[in-house]
Structures are given as structure tokens and as C-alpha cells.
């Protein structure tokens, strides 16, 4: 039961983008070791700019 | 041991088919007074299950030939940002949130004037055989082309003509879409201080959430959204206080035209503001509200099984309906639009979603499955419209220009159609919903809100009807405004992209003068159509919604034409009907509808007939002075609508003929543009975490 709940929580965080920064840090550490990652604030803003530069919402 | 589960599954599917068939038969053949809405839910679920399990699986295996060993763009081009292999349920959630908009709520509400049956059948059949197929095929082809957009695919596969037509078509549909959605919000707020103050309050709430997510607790999306959602509910309650306060309520009591100016000004300011401050946080809130309300509505319908009071068919299938003019064929298809087939989805299925796909075998779930869910939302909207007494439904949705300005005239006329309703009944209903009047509240939003409020009210407490009504209005308004912002932004980017070819600096998306100029152009374009709708004596929805439906179905036809072209070029001519048949149907209904909109001699259907009729009346002095003053403008607007219709149908046929030209060259062995599919690379993603 607890495992299920924690899986559901992980899913909710991922789908809402709540854990985006954590995932970015993990990806950054793997793909570009040695380079300093963006701060959370800057990452958040850069992501929003990218997300909203294309068609993201429909009729 | 193998055969047993197979036999069990076969028996299961036969059972589902039988239940589905009897539910559908029940809906179709029922001719009594009332029918239980559980029949609708049952029929829908069975049809979706069969469509998904059999048709989508067959298309995946035989037509598209999904290859699960092939690396997707998300894997090959993984950059941790837009290209990123993602859990299929997460992608499903993102994709559904992106495609689900206000369209499937409004379309079925309007189409209910024909009775519940035609709309319901088209939502189910069109969804399973058309809309879901379009979404799935587009997602697949875009995935095979590194997530390229529909416009780019049209250019790569058909040629420059088809490509530009697709691009211009997309731009135009965006303009009409925003205008008609803006009109729906304006009509819902007109002379309703409660609705207006609640909708206005969503703006500072969204900005507060934006500040919270950016500065107070950076990146804490869930916290911010929950906080914002709580504030939104407070805003609904607060709207009630405003409504009961004599001085405050006059501040928020406005004419349609004033509200339209607010919406236009708001649209411009929102388009040049940073995304993090308004657009992004409001989108988080509207997504929360949208998913929450859809789940709540589904639960209420399933638990409560409200009774559908609308007849299966009304006399208005002959084209004399009060909500919009035009016969059942082709206007039921044009009106339902997004609930069954939506061209707009092709823009999401190409571009955004394919870049997140971890494996091709997730495509049926994500594209076909999301569209089925969207179609189910449309079914729920149809139920919400049909649980109202038909007399009440027509009194809310019929414009004053058709049924008369006086309540007594309106109820007399509506009752004479065989849908009894009284002035007293409408007054009581308006009082219960906390509104001054519910007569002639066109646009679909108020009648949907009354339907939702009566369903929610009987499921979760009758005493709060006014709260539920305004909650429903707020819920519709908040994501209509999100679509309005997001659409203006996309329109701006497209315009900047085009203008950048003429004068370079205009193409820079961060250069402020260019941002202001292009945003103003886009806002002016949709603002004008919104203005047309607002000054129209009949509420405007009957003008703009068919135009939107035609443009949306045109875009769907473009997506299906690109898909058909690629299928034939891949040497699968015998399967071309999978996209070719829905394409042919869309071509027929869009062309017929455009023809009627242009040529019909009935002034309630044909734009030109209406323009000529008004010009004659103006010349003869038969118009009252206040109407005569705006008549020249109305005549110009009607002609503009006619020109736009003609433009849409021309774009449609340019793309179809370009596709047929390419196909006939290909079939006769002449050279055509090569398939632009990215080369096969084996997938290395074996970890289960991405997929499960």
C-alpha cells in the first residue's frame, strides 16, 4: 500500500512538473559532468519560455 | 493451457459488443419521454473499448507497423529538456491536458438543438473512426520524423504548395478559435456581476501563483497550484458577496461590448507579459480545474444517472433551429467539431508529444486513448445539455433576435414548438443560479453551467446551486482565457517567423518592438471577429461557431491528407482508406457546409443572403434607427465571413489536390519527394522505469 502511494506521488510530481529540477540535475550530472548546473530559478524560467514557444493548448 | 484465456477474452469481447450494441440501440430507438443517461455512458465505454482494442491495435500492427525495437527521437536526441523519454502515463497526461479544451463542451451543447441522438452518434463514430485515427497517425508520422510539425511534414511530403496552405490555414483557425472562445466568455459574463468578478479575480490569483512559483518557492509547481486552486474556489464564493453588495455589483455589471474591450486589452497585455507571471501559472490552475471537474462530472453522472429529457430528434433537423440555422447534414458535424474530430490535435500530436515518447508501442494509448477520453468529455457535455428541460434549454440558448426580447414572447414561442416553459420557471431557475436572467444567454457556457450545476447540485447538495453554477462558469472561463493567451502567443510566433523573411529584426522573438507589434496585429485580428460577434443582434455564436467548425475540420482534413499521402507513398495503397475515408467525409461536409454558408438563400444560413437581405431592408428604410446605424457594418462583416469561408474551402482543396497530384505521380512511377523518415536506429532503452 505504501509503495503504491509513493509510486502515485512520484507520478503526480512527474506529471505536474514538480520534480523537473531534480530530473534536470540528474540528467545534467550524467550528460555534462563537471559543468555547474543552472540554479533552480533560472532553470524554471528557461523551461517555461521553451514550453510556451509552441502550440501547447488546444480548442 | 493457452486457449482458455483466449476463449475467455473472446467471450468478454462478444459480451462488450452485445452490451454496446444494445445500449446504442436503446439510445437510437428510444421514443418515450425520458431516457436514463447511463445508456449513454455504457454505449460510449463499449464503443471506445472495441475501437481501442480492435481498430487502434489493427492500425498499429498492419497500417503503421509500430516497431518497438526502434529508438524514438526522445531517445536518440535526448537533451533532458524537450526531447526526453518519458513514462507513457505521464505522456498520456500531458497529451490529454494539451488536447482537451473548451471546444468539446460548447459544440455538443449547441448541437443538442437537433436532439441528443445525431450529436451523440457523431461523437462516438467520428471519434473512433476519424478523430482518434487522425491523432494517432499524425503522432506516428511525426515521431518517425524527429517530432516535426504538421506544417513541416506537409512541406516535406507534399511540397511547398501544400506546406504553405497548411501554415496559413493554421494561422487563420487560431484567429477564429480565439474570437469565438472570447465570445463565449463575454456572453457568460454579460450583466452578471458574480461571473465577471470571479473571472476577473482569476487574473491576480494567477499572477500571485506565478510569483510564488518563480520567487517564493521556485519550481514548486504542486504547492503553487493547490494554493491557487483554493484561492479560485474562494473567488467563486467572493463573487457571491460582490453580487449581494449594491455598490460592488455595479462595478462588475457590464454590457457585452465593454467586456469585449476588456478581453481584447487583456489579451494584448497577457501576450507581452513574461510567461512565468501569467500564462504558465494560469495554465497550471486551469489544468488542475479541468481534470478535477471532468472527474467530478463523470463521477456525478455515473453515481446519479440523471434523466435525459431532450428528445432523440427535434423538428429542427430541417434547418429551422433557433440556436443556429442549417440542416442536420452537414451542420451537426460542423458544430460538434472537436468532440469527434479536431484538426487542432494534429498540432499537438506533431511537435510536442512525439519528443517525449519512450517507445513507439505507446502511440495507441497516448494518441488514440487521449482522443477517446476527449470524446467522452463531449458525451458528458451532451448529457449536461440534455438533462435540462428542453424548454429551458431553448430559452437559455435562443438569441433574443429569434425568439423576441420579451420573456413572455420567448416562452410563448418556445412552448409553441412543443417545448413547454414558463416565465416563472425561468425566473426561479435564474434566482437559484444567482443570475438576473437566463433568457438568451447564448454561447453554450451558461446552459452547460446550468446543466452541470443541476447534476452537481443533486449529487453533492442542492443548496449550493448558485455556487456550482458560478464554479462551472469560472472553470470554463479560466481555460478559455488560457487558450486565448497561448493562441495569441503562437499566432505571434508564426507571424514573427513570416515577417522575419521580410525584415530580419521582426523575426526576433525577444525584441520588444517586434513583440508589441506582432502581438497587436494578432490581437487586432481576433479582436475584430470578437467585436463582430458581440455587436451581432443574434449573439454572434451562430456566425462564428460554424466558421470555427469549418476551419477546424479543414485543418483535420489537411492532417489526414498528409497522413494519406505518406501511407500511399510508403507502398500501402490498400490501407489508404484508414485516413482516406475520414478525409473524404470531412471534404464532403466542409465543402457542403461552406457552399450553404455562401449560397443558401435562407438568411439564417447563408452569409451573403443575410447581407443582401439586410441591405434591402436598409434601402427600403425598414430598419429601426438603432439597427440602421450599425447595418452597414453588419453587412460588411457578413461579407467578410463569406470571404473567409471561401478562403477555408480553397485552402482545403489546394491541399487535397496537391496530395492527389503527388499520389498520382507516385502511382504512375514518376519521381515524388522522398519519404522524410529518419533512419532506423535500434533502441537501447531497456530500463523498465521509463515505461512502467
Amino acid at each position: 500500500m505504501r509503495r503504491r502511494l509513493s509510486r502515485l506521488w512520484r507520478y503526480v510530481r512527474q506529471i505536474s512538473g514538480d520534480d523537473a529540477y531534480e530530473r534536470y540535475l540528474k540528467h545534467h550530472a550524467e550528460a555534462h559532468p563537471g559543468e555547474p548546473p543552472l540554479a533552480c530559478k533560472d532553470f524554471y524560467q528557461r523551461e517555461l519560455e521553451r514550453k510556451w514557444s509552441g502550440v501547447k493548448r488546444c480548442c | 493451457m493457452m486457449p482458455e484465456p483466449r476463449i475467455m477474452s473472446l467471450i468478454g469481447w462478444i459480451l462488450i459488443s452485445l452490451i454496446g450494441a444494445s445500449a446504442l440501440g436503446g439510445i437510437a430507438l428510444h421514443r418515450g419521454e425520458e431516457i436514463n443517461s447511463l445508456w449513454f455512458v455504457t454505449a460510449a465505454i463499449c464503443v471506445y473499448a472495441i475501437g481501442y482494442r480492435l481498430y487502434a491495435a489493427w492500425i498499429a500492427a498492419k497500417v503503421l507497423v509500430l516497431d518497438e525495437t526502434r529508438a524514438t527521437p526522445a531517445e536518440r536526441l535526448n537533451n533532458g529538456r524537450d526531447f526526453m523519454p518519458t513514462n507513457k502515463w505521464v505522456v498520456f497526461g500531458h497529451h490529454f491536458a494539451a488536447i482537451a479544451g473548451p471546444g468539446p463542451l460548447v459544440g455538443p451543447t449547441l448541437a443538442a438543438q437537433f436532439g441528443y441522438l445525431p450529436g451523440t452518434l457523431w461523437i462516438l463514430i467520428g471519434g473512433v473512426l476519424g478523430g482518434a485515427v487522425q491523432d494517432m497517425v499524425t503522432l506516428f508520422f511525426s515521431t518517425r520524423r524527429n517530432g516535426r510539425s504538421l506544417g513541416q511534414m506537409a512541406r516535406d511530403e507534399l511540397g511547398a504548395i501544400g506546406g504553405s496552405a497548411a501554415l496559413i490555414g493554421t494561422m487563420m483557425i487560431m484567429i477564429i478559435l480565439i474570437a469565438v472562445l472570447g465570445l463565449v466568455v463575454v456572453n457568460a459574463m454579460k450583466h452578471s456581476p458574480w461571473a465577471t468578478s470571479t473571472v476577473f479575480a482569476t487574473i491576480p490569483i494567477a499572477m500571485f501563483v506565478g510569483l510564488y512559483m518563480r520567487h517564493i518557492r521556485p519550481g514548486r509547481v504542486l504547492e503553487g497550484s493547490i494554493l491557487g486552486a483554493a484561492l479560485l474556489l474562494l473567488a467563486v464564493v467572493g463573487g457571491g458577496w460582490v453580487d449581494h453588495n449594491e455598490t460592488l455589483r455595479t462595478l462588475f455589471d457590464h454590457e457585452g461590448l465593454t467586456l469585449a474591450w476588456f478581453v481584447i486589452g487583456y489579451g494584448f497585455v497577457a501576450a507581452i507579459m513574461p510567461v512565468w507571471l501569467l500564462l504558465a501559472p494560469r495554465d497550471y490552475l486551469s489544468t488542475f480545474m479541468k481534470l478535477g471537474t471532468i472527474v467530478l462530472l463523470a463521477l456525478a453522472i455515473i453515481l446519479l444517472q440523471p434523466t435525459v429529457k431532450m428528445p432523440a430528434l427535434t423538428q429542427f433537423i430541417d434547418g429551422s433551429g433557433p440556436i443556429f440555422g442549417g440542416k442536420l447534414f452537414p451542420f451537426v458535424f460542423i458544430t460538434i467539431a472537436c468532440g469527434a474530430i479536431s484538426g487542432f490535435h494534429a498540432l499537438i500530436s506533431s511537435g510536442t508529444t512525439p519528443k517525449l515518447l519512450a517507445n513507439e508501442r505507446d502511440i495507441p494509448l497516448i494518441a488514440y486513448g487521449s482522443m477517446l477520453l476527449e470524446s467522452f468529455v463531449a458525451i458528458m457535455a451532451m448529457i449536461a445539455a440534455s438533462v435540462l428541460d428542453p424548454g429551458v434549454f431553448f430559452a437559455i440558448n435562443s438569441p433574443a433576435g429569434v425568439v423576441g426580447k420579451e420573456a413572455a414572447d420567448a416562452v410563448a414561442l418556445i412552448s409553441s414548438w412543443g417545448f413547454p416553459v414558463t416565465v416563472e420557471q425561468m425566473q426561479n431557475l435564474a434566482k437559484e443560479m444567482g443570475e438576473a436572467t437566463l433568457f438568451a444567454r447564448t454561447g453554450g457556457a451558461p446552459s452547460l453551467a446550468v446543466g452541470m450545476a443541476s447534476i452537481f447540485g443533486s449529487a453533492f447538495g442542492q443548496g449550493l446551486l448558485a455556487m456550482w453554477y458560478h464554479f462551472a462558469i469560472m472553470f470554463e472561463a479560466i481555460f478559455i482565457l488560457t487558450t486565448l493567451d497561448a493562441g495569441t502567443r503562437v499566432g505571434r510566433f508564426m507571424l514573427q517567423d513570416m515577417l522575419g523573411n521580410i525584415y530580419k529584426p521582426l523575426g526576433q522573438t525577444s525584441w520588444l518592438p517586434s513583440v508589441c507589434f506582432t502581438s497587436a496585429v494578432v490581437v487586432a485580428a481576433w479582436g475584430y471577429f470578437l467585436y463582430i460577434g458581440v455587436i451581432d443582434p443574434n449573439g454572434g455564436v451562430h456566425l462564428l461557431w460554424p466558421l470555427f467548425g469549418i476551419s477546424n475540420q479543414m485543418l483535420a482534413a489537411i492532417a489526414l491528407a498528409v497522413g494519406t499521402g505518406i501511407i500511399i507513398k510508403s507502398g500501402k495503397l490498400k490501407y489508404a482508406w484508414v485516413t482516406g475515408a475520414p478525409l473524404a467525409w470531412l471534404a464532403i461536409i466542409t465543402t457542403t457546409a461552406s457552399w450553404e454558408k455562401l449560397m443558401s438563400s435562407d438568411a439564417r444560413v447563408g452569409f451573403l443572403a443575410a447581407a443582401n437581405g439586410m441591405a434591402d431592408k436598409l434601402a427600403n428604410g425598414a430598419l429601426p434607427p438603432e439597427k440602421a446605424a450599425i447595418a452597414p457594418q453588419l453587412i460588411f462583416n457578413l461579407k467578410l465571413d463569406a470571404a473567409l469561408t471561401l478562403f477555408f474551402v480553397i485552402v482545403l482543396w489546394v491541399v487535397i489536390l496537391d496530395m492527389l497530384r503527388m499520389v498520382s505521380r507516385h502511382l504512375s512511377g514518376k519521381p515524388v519527394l522522398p519519404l522524410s523518415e529518419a533512419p532506423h536506429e535500434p533502441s537501447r532503452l531497456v530500463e523498465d522505469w521509463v515505461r512502467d
Side-chain angles (χ1 to χ4, degrees):
Chain A
M1 188 62 191
R2 267 186 75 154
R3 260 189 58 201
R4 276 206 191 144
L5 276 179
S6 82
R7 246 176 85 171
L8 182 72
W9 176 237
R10 269 212 325 263
Y11 174 71
V12 170
R13 289 200 66 203
Q14 198 185 348
I15 201 164
S16 63
D18 205 52
D19 66 349
Y21 186 61
E22 290 150 47
R23 275 184 288 139
Y24 161 76
L25 286 182
K26 192 161 164 265
H27 171 86
H28 191 86
E30 282 166 14
H32 315 278
E35 286 174 42
L38 289 173
C40 184
K41 242 179 177 176
D42 302 326
F43 168 77
Y44 175 72
Q45 190 180 6
R46 190 194 66 180
E47 277 304 280
L48 288 187
E49 289 292 337
R50 178 187 63 71
K51 274 190 213 159
W52 289 100
S53 60
V55 181
K56 199 173 132 64
R57 286 295 175 258
C58 239
C59 38
Chain B
M1 289 313 282
M2 269 312 279
E4 245 176 62
R6 279 185 64 181
I7 289 173
M8 287 310 285
S9 128
L10 188 68
I11 293 174
W13 284 104
I14 291 174
L15 264 178
I16 292 177
S17 312
L18 285 177
I19 296 171
S22 46
L24 264 182
I27 297 173
L29 302 175
H30 186 85
R31 286 294 177 275
E33 285 286 298
E34 292 170 344
I35 178 172
N36 193 305
S37 58
L38 201 60
W39 288 103
F40 290 71
V41 176
T42 311
I45 290 175
C46 293
V47 169
Y48 298 152
I50 293 166
Y52 182 75
R53 182 64 183 78
L54 301 180
Y55 194 44
W58 177 81
I59 294 175
K62 294 287 177 190
V63 183
L64 305 179
V65 197
L66 301 184
D67 181 356
E68 55 186 71
T69 67
R70 189 182 181 115
T72 59
E75 179 185 349
R76 282 184 286 112
L77 309 173
N78 186 352
N79 58 7
R81 300 170 59 194
D82 46 349
F83 286 95
M84 188 162 44
T86 307
N87 174 303
K88 65 177 171 183
W89 289 106
V90 173
V91 186
F92 177 84
H94 282 292
H95 186 79
F96 176 68
I99 65 168
L105 297 175
V106 177
T109 307
L110 302 179
Q113 84 163 0
F114 293 127
Y116 65 73
L117 185 62
T120 302
L121 286 181
W122 179 237
I123 291 169
L124 296 180
I125 297 169
V128 167
L129 299 181
V133 173
Q134 172 212 256
D135 293 12
M136 177 165 149
V137 167
T138 311
L139 177 58
F140 173 77
F141 287 135
S142 177
T143 304
R144 284 280 171 100
R145 284 158 184 76
N146 293 343
R148 245 174 257 171
S149 71
L150 178 68
Q152 286 167 322
M153 287 199 287
R155 197 168 50 225
D156 295 344
E157 300 286 345
L158 302 182
I161 300 176
S164 336
L167 196 67
I168 299 171
T170 310
M171 181 93 193
M172 293 308 299
I173 176 185
M174 204 87 83
I175 302 288
I176 298 294
L177 165 74
I178 299 175
V180 74
L181 292 180
L183 184 62
V184 170
V185 181
V186 167
N187 282 352
M189 296 195 295
K190 196 155 65 182
H191 290 302
S192 167
W194 191 337
T196 310
S197 56
T198 304
V199 173
F200 278 25
T202 61
I203 298 167
I205 292 175
M207 288 168 77
F208 167 71
V209 171
L211 283 168
Y212 185 92
M213 288 179 182
R214 167 123 164 83
H215 288 293
I216 303 175
R217 295 269 287 163
R220 291 293 173 186
V221 169
L222 276 178
E223 280 175 27
S225 304
I226 291 169
L227 200 64
L231 288 174
L232 285 179
L233 297 182
L234 264 182
V236 175
V237 180
W241 296 334
V242 169
D243 194 41
H244 287 110
N245 182 313
E246 278 310 315
T247 36
L248 279 179
R249 83 187 301 276
T250 49
L251 274 179
F252 293 100
D253 188 356
H254 295 293
E255 292 290 331
L257 196 56
T258 322
L259 291 167
W261 285 114
F262 275 127
V263 170
I264 292 169
Y266 165 79
F268 178 72
V269 174
I272 56 176
M273 257 193 207
V275 222
W276 65 264
L277 185 56
L278 185 55
L279 176 53
R282 225 226 345 261
D283 178 63
Y284 281 119
L285 296 181
S286 77
T287 311
F288 255 71
M289 282 290 152
K290 181 161 67 186
L291 298 180
T293 311
I294 288 172
V295 171
L296 208 59
L297 190 57
L299 279 179
I301 288 178
I302 289 167
L303 288 179
L304 211 74
Q305 303 157 21
T307 306
V308 166
K309 296 175 186 154
M310 183 66 77
L313 288 171
T314 66
Q315 65 267 41
F316 302 128
I317 53 177
D318 67 358
S320 61
I323 302 176
F324 56 90
K327 290 200 179 86
L328 182 68
F329 176 87
F331 286 100
V332 71
F333 308 102
I334 295 295
T335 309
I336 294 281
C338 334
I341 303 180
S342 176
F344 229 94
H345 295 183
L347 305 180
I348 307 278
S349 295
S350 63
T352 321
T353 304
K355 296 176 183 165
L356 298 173
L357 205 63
N359 192 301
E360 284 187 4
R361 78 184 129 172
D362 301 341
I363 286 177
L365 170 77
I366 292 162
Y368 201 94
S370 292
M371 180 62 214
L372 293 185
L373 202 53
E374 167 102 324
S375 159
F376 187 66
V377 173
I379 290 286
M380 292 199 295
M382 181 59 92
I383 294 175
S386 311
V387 297
L388 299 176
D389 278 322
V392 170
F393 169 84
F394 283 108
I396 299 177
N397 284 300
S398 305
V402 176
V403 293
K405 273 211 172 86
E406 297 304 321
D409 299 342
V411 293
L413 184 60
I414 293 168
S415 301
S416 77
W417 293 330
F419 305 116
V421 61
T422 61
V423 177
E424 204 187 3
Q425 190 183 0
M426 289 301 291
Q427 276 168 346
N428 283 341
L429 190 67
K431 210 170 153 218
E432 276 181 348
M433 299 294 162
E435 289 286 284
T437 176
L438 284 172
F439 278 107
R441 301 295 299 269
T442 58
S447 101
L448 178 66
V450 174
M452 277 169 67
S454 52
I455 294 174
F456 284 151
S458 36
F460 312 105
Q462 195 77 33
L464 296 169
L465 272 179
M467 289 290 167
W468 284 119
Y469 174 87
H470 290 95
F471 170 81
I473 294 283
M474 181 273 290
F475 144 81
E476 288 175 79
I478 190 168
F479 67 102
I480 285 183
L481 289 180
T482 309
T483 306
L484 189 139
D485 285 10
T488 306
R489 256 182 101 74
V490 171
R492 183 191 110 199
F493 285 129
M494 291 167 79
L495 189 62
Q496 285 187 310
D497 200 37
M498 285 180 213
L499 293 179
N501 298 324
I502 304 167
Y503 177 58
K504 262 258 157 59
L506 281 178
Q508 290 168 7
T509 49
S510 55
W511 188 48
L512 194 64
S514 165
V515 170
C516 289
F517 172 69
T518 48
S519 301
V521 171
V522 175
V523 171
W526 62 253
Y528 186 71
F529 283 97
L530 171 58
Y531 173 75
I532 290 183
V534 172
I535 62 165
D536 180 75
N538 287 341
V541 172
H542 72 111
L543 284 180
L544 292 182
W545 192 262
L547 213 52
F548 163 66
I550 289 174
S551 67
N552 184 307
Q553 300 303 288
M554 170 207 75
L555 193 58
I558 293 176
L560 286 166
V562 172
T564 310
I566 298 178
I567 289 177
I568 295 176
K569 246 204 275 188
S570 324
K572 291 178 192 149
L573 182 63
K574 65 174 173 176
Y575 294 132
W577 57 267
V578 169
T579 48
L583 169 63
W585 179 246
L586 287 185
I588 292 170
I589 58 164
T590 341
T591 312
T592 329
S594 307
W595 176 261
E596 291 200 13
K597 279 288 166 198
L598 291 171
M599 293 304 174
S600 169
S601 55
D602 178 355
R604 295 206 48 236
V605 181
F607 288 131
L608 293 176
N612 294 338
M614 197 173 291
D616 287 347
K617 273 189 197 163
L618 185 64
N620 298 338
L623 288 175
E626 78 272 10
K627 267 199 178 165
I630 56 167
Q633 205 174 0
L634 294 178
I635 293 170
F636 171 78
N637 293 341
L638 285 164
K639 287 185 177 162
L640 183 66
D641 292 340
L644 211 59
T645 309
L646 187 66
F647 172 78
F648 285 141
V649 82
I650 290 175
V651 170
L652 167 74
W653 281 101
V654 165
V655 175
I656 292 181
L657 291 175
D658 202 32
M659 185 271 287
L660 291 176
R661 178 194 59 87
M662 190 276 292
V663 163
S664 75
R665 282 179 67 89
H666 173 75
L667 293 180
S668 56
K670 289 185 192 142
V672 289
L673 288 171
L675 282 173
S676 55
E677 193 168 288
H680 180 283
E681 263 183 53
S683 171
R684 288 169 216 282
L685 276 183
V686 281
E687 297 101 315
D688 275 336
W689 63 267
V690 251
R691 304 207 52 257
D692 295 318

